[in-house]
Amino acid sequence: MEKSPIQKKLSWALGCALLGAALALAFPVKVTVEGLAAPVTAVGQALRGLSLSGGAGNAAAWGIVLLVSALPLVPWFLLRRRGRAVEDWLLVLLIPQVFALLYYAVNPTLIGSMAADFLPLAQMLAMVSTALTWLVLCFLRGMAEAEGTRLVSAVSALLTGCALVLSLGAGAALAGDWRAAAEEAQAGNTGNAGFTVAVLGVLALLRLGPYLLGAAALLWGGRLVDQAGREPFARETAELCDRAAYACRTAAQGSVLLSLTVNLIQLALFDLLVQSNFSVSLDLLPLALAGAMFLLSRWMRQGLALREDNDSII
């Protein structure tokens, strides 16, 4: 039996969650400031060694720094074809950020702050923030200026992409948390450590549920946007809107119930567990999407009824 498009995308979301969990378990990474800043530190040491090798090496080091700092100008000049927008000036803002990153990486002794070890990471985060801001603003401008069909395709692809990223990140984060909690429980040399690790694994799977339900709500939203963009007043669109609203309402209910289940399991096994983590959380995404779907469904049904009345009069 062939799967429907929404079933295929739901399978993709589940696959992304499993992939994220597998990567987190296979390649555990301990995130530290030194580890994140290590690439910048290595580049700075290489450029410093080149600079100290002589006059030619110093000139080459400066040339590399200036060349890399000017890389944001490449898209700046390429944008001349379509005309620059206000947000494109953010590319120019990247130039001094890249230069400062490389300059202080080559000359770390010039940093007098006690937080000197954190500065490369702070600079990288600022650069990433600037670049992401530019990309998001460009995307929003493109959506505002796009034609109807292109806008529908863009929004549908955006919702689908967000669902897959949400699933991938949730799988990786929860698997990493479970691995860390399991190692901590086993390192304590207390009783029932193996039982606790198994229960923590089950709880991690239950905690993954709300994220997958949120991803499903996004996928239903993308499917509805695509259908409404092609046939906004068709009966199939109204029926799909009802199914999407029901799916989103179920997702919201499932998120709350899964959160409750996690806490109740830990409470029931409290004496047997060497580690527990109680929390109260509510995924607002399915709730918001469910409300939007209900409103959209009512509007589409009213529009469909109005069109049928007009057709009957004519």
Side-chain angles (χ1 to χ4, degrees), residues 8 16 46-47 78 81 90 97 112 134 169 177 180 190 224 226 229 233 238 260 265 269 271 275 289 308 314:
K8 291 180 180 179
C16 286
L47 290 174
L78 292 177
R81 298 179 179 179
L90 291 173
Q97 295 183 52
W134 174 72
D177 292 343
T190 56
L224 180 60
D226 182 64
F233 296 107
L260 174 62
I265 290 176
L269 302 176
D271 291 337
Q275 187 181 92
L289 285 175
E308 291 177 347
I314 295 174

Side-chain angles (χ1 to χ4, degrees), residues 7-189:
Q7 290 176 330
K8 291 180 180 179
K9 291 182 178 180
L10 289 173
S11 300
W12 297 350
L14 180 59
C16 286
L18 295 176
L19 175 62
L23 292 176
L25 295 176
F27 305 101
V29 178
K30 293 184 178 180
V31 180
T32 61
V33 174
E34 293 78 9
L36 293 174
V40 177
T41 303
V43 171
Q45 292 176 350
L47 290 174
R48 183 174 180 82
L50 180 61
S51 178
L52 296 176
S53 63
N58 185 42
W62 272 106
I64 293 174
V65 170
L66 294 176
L67 179 62
V68 174
S69 301
L71 287 179
L73 290 177
V74 175
W76 167 263
F77 286 112
L78 292 177
L79 291 173
R80 294 182 60 184
R81 298 179 179 179
R82 66 166 179 81
R84 299 190 185 99
V86 176
E87 60 268 14
D88 295 331
W89 286 96
L90 291 173
L91 293 171
V92 179
L93 184 61
L94 276 173
I95 296 176
Q97 295 183 52
V98 177
F99 179 81
L101 175 69
L102 296 176
Y103 183 78
Y104 284 113
V106 176
N107 304 284
T109 57
L110 297 179
I111 306 174
S113 173
M114 296 180 62
D117 295 336
F118 182 74
L119 181 62
L121 178 60
Q123 291 174 314
M124 287 191 295
L125 291 176
M127 290 169 52
V128 172
S129 176
T130 304
L132 287 178
T133 301
W134 174 72
L135 289 174
V136 170
L137 292 178
C138 287
F139 179 77
L140 293 176
R141 177 176 289 274
M143 290 180 60
E145 298 175 352
E147 299 177 354
T149 54
R150 289 184 57 191
L151 179 60
V152 168
S153 300
V155 173
S156 179
L158 176 64
L159 293 176
T160 301
C162 289
L164 298 181
V165 172
L166 176 64
S167 301
L168 179 67
L174 290 173
D177 292 343
W178 172 79
R179 183 188 183 97
E183 291 176 351
E184 183 179 350
Q186 292 174 340
N189 294 324

